[in-house]
Amino acid sequence: MGCLKNILRAIILTLAVVGFMALGGKELISGLIYNYFNPSKETVLERAQKVGDFSKINEEFEIEKAAGIMGYNAVVAEHKASGQKMFVVDAGNKEILTVEDLKSDNVEEKLYNAISKIKYQAVSVDDLKVTKHGTMNSYGKEVPYVKFEAHVKKLPIGDVGGIISVAETKDGESRLLISANEKKKYSQLISDEFFGKIK
């Protein structure tokens, strides 16, 4: 009797699946999977709002991702013409780096410690050097940054240049701002333009 019941369930389930597929279920499932892995620009911007207001970013930049990355909420953007990447990371209550760290005398050590907190096996950073301290605007305030050069392993590009900054939102939450490109192609003007538009 139990065997017959299982056979009947299997037949009903098979008919239900066949019926679902006949009524366009395959296209529906394909569409849902595609949209999950390739979200629309509106969906990406909606997710990005959790990290900051990116609505004033101009068309030179494309927000590529807004999702949980390495255990943090993050937004990844690219300057279309140069390929320069910008990252805005909301670490939540897991503080990665502070304004005081950027201003300290042993900032390079603090940066190595921050890198070790972000456990990202695919990339490793060597020979990190801070070359300059400066300020820029982001989240409606003047924020400090350090300019760096480093050698990155396990990526197609070896030597990178860029900045690391920490900004505070209106709600008092901390955001880690990173901009990087190949060492010779890095532009501070691009970083200033992008981060200055985030509120």
Side-chain angles (χ1 to χ4, degrees):
M1 188 70 179
C3 186
L4 185 60
K5 197 187 278 188
N6 286 339
I7 292 171
L8 279 173
R9 279 189 194 152
I11 292 170
I12 292 170
L13 184 62
T14 303
L15 290 173
V17 169
V18 169
F20 178 71
M21 292 305 197
L23 295 172
K26 183 178 177 189
E27 289 79 17
L28 177 68
I29 290 171
S30 297
L32 289 171
I33 290 170
Y34 179 82
N35 288 337
Y36 181 78
F37 290 107
N38 301 298
S40 69
K41 190 173 182 180
E42 292 77 27
T43 303
V44 171
L45 282 173
E46 191 178 302
R47 290 180 190 163
Q49 294 301 321
K50 295 174 185 169
V51 178
D53 180 359
F54 293 83
S55 62
K56 302 287 188 250
I57 302 294
N58 67 38
E59 284 134 27
E60 291 176 59
F61 301 96
E62 179 180 0
I63 294 180
E64 296 178 332
K65 287 185 182 140
I69 299 171
M70 299 172 283
Y72 304 98
N73 282 328
V75 173
V76 181
E78 179 180 50
H79 183 256
K80 293 176 190 173
S82 70
Q84 187 161 313
K85 296 278 190 184
M86 277 69 59
F87 304 85
V88 181
V89 182
D90 172 8
N93 51 12
K94 303 177 225 165
E95 197 167 78
I96 301 171
L97 206 60
T98 66
V99 171
E100 291 75 28
D101 291 338
L102 295 179
K103 293 179 178 178
S104 74
D105 292 335
N106 59 343
V107 65
E108 287 175 4
E109 184 183 323
K110 302 278 186 183
L111 292 176
Y112 273 115
N113 288 339
I115 291 165
S116 71
K117 287 180 188 174
I118 302 173
K119 293 177 175 48
Y120 192 53
Q121 305 296 324
V123 178
S124 66
V125 177
D126 286 334
D127 304 324
L128 181 98
K129 288 186 301 219
V130 171
T131 59
K132 181 183 172 187
H133 290 260
T135 60
M136 65 180 180
N137 287 313
S138 191
Y139 286 89
K141 299 174 186 165
E142 188 174 19
V143 298
Y145 70 81
V146 291
K147 192 170 184 183
F148 70 90
E149 292 175 358
H151 183 75
V152 180
K153 290 182 181 174
K154 301 178 188 173
L155 279 183
I157 55 172
D159 293 326
V160 296
I163 61 159
I164 297 177
S165 179
V166 176
E168 207 173 88
T169 67
K170 289 178 235 165
D171 302 330
E173 295 176 353
S174 183
R175 299 289 186 264
L176 182 65
L177 312 176
I178 303 168
S179 181
N181 204 344
E182 290 178 52
K183 192 163 119 181
K184 292 183 172 89
K185 292 183 179 178
Y186 175 76
S187 166
Q188 186 60 39
L189 291 173
I190 291 171
S191 296
D192 289 343
E193 172 72 19
F194 180 79
F195 292 125
K197 300 283 188 198
I198 304 170
K199 299 288 183 216

